[in-house]
Amino acid sequence: MIASEIDWAALRVAALDAMGRAYAPYSDFPVGAAALVDDGRVVSGCNVENASYGVGLCAECALVSSLIMTGGGQLVAFTCVDGNGGILMPCGRCRQLLYEHSAPGMLLETVSGVKTIDEVLPDAFGPRQLADYRASAASS
């Protein structure tokens, strides 16, 4: 998919809507995320904090849960916003989570422009690498 084919404004609106539902009483930092799925659906998620801090859920986690709960598929474009509507870069843990459920070359709107999942998580390891390994082992 080409970045110009993505309705980034619509994805940001969905992310802002999700951000408005965030549960962030401890950090006071609501986050919303939205992504386009390969079948045309848009899925979204928000952060959900917890008094023990470390067990809070990032917006990306909620988004992937929504993806799975609504039929699965592969993510092709992603954006994430803060409480002011500013674009956020997913943390490393969330980049890995997104990679696991991305189409090859998934696009992310980042603070430094649109990038592919491979650019924001170089040399990643996930389902595609496991499939390549299995294929090479089977042909040996």
Side-chain angles (χ1 to χ4, degrees):
M1 184 152 279
I2 302 168
S4 62
E5 296 175 351
I6 305 298
D7 187 347
W8 293 106
L11 277 182
R12 279 190 300 280
V13 166
L16 284 165
D17 181 58
M19 180 275 304
R21 299 164 193 257
Y23 178 73
Y26 306 102
S27 71
D28 211 17
F29 191 77
V31 177
L36 178 64
V37 183
D38 59 356
D39 64 7
R41 284 178 296 134
V42 172
V43 293
S44 61
C46 64
N47 60 322
V48 179
E49 295 181 346
N50 186 285
S52 66
Y53 292 97
V55 296
L57 298 175
C58 296
E60 297 88 342
C61 295
L63 180 143
V64 168
S65 181
S66 177
L67 172 71
I68 300 303
M69 291 294 295
T70 60
Q74 292 185 315
L75 304 172
V76 296
F78 171 88
T79 193
C80 189
V81 298
D82 65 22
N84 296 321
I87 302 300
L88 294 173
M89 175 62 90
C91 70
R93 173 182 170 247
C94 289
R95 291 178 204 188
Q96 177 65 33
L97 182 64
L98 292 169
Y99 181 80
E100 290 274 330
H101 299 280
S102 70
M106 179 184 85
L107 300 173
L108 291 86
E109 188 174 38
T110 76
V111 296
S112 57
V114 175
K115 298 186 181 282
T116 67
I117 188 68
D118 296 311
E119 290 174 303
V120 301
L121 190 64
D123 302 323
F125 181 82
R128 290 186 282 281
Q129 290 70 31
L130 288 170
D132 289 347
Y133 171 76
R134 288 185 194 108
S136 68
S139 65
S140 305

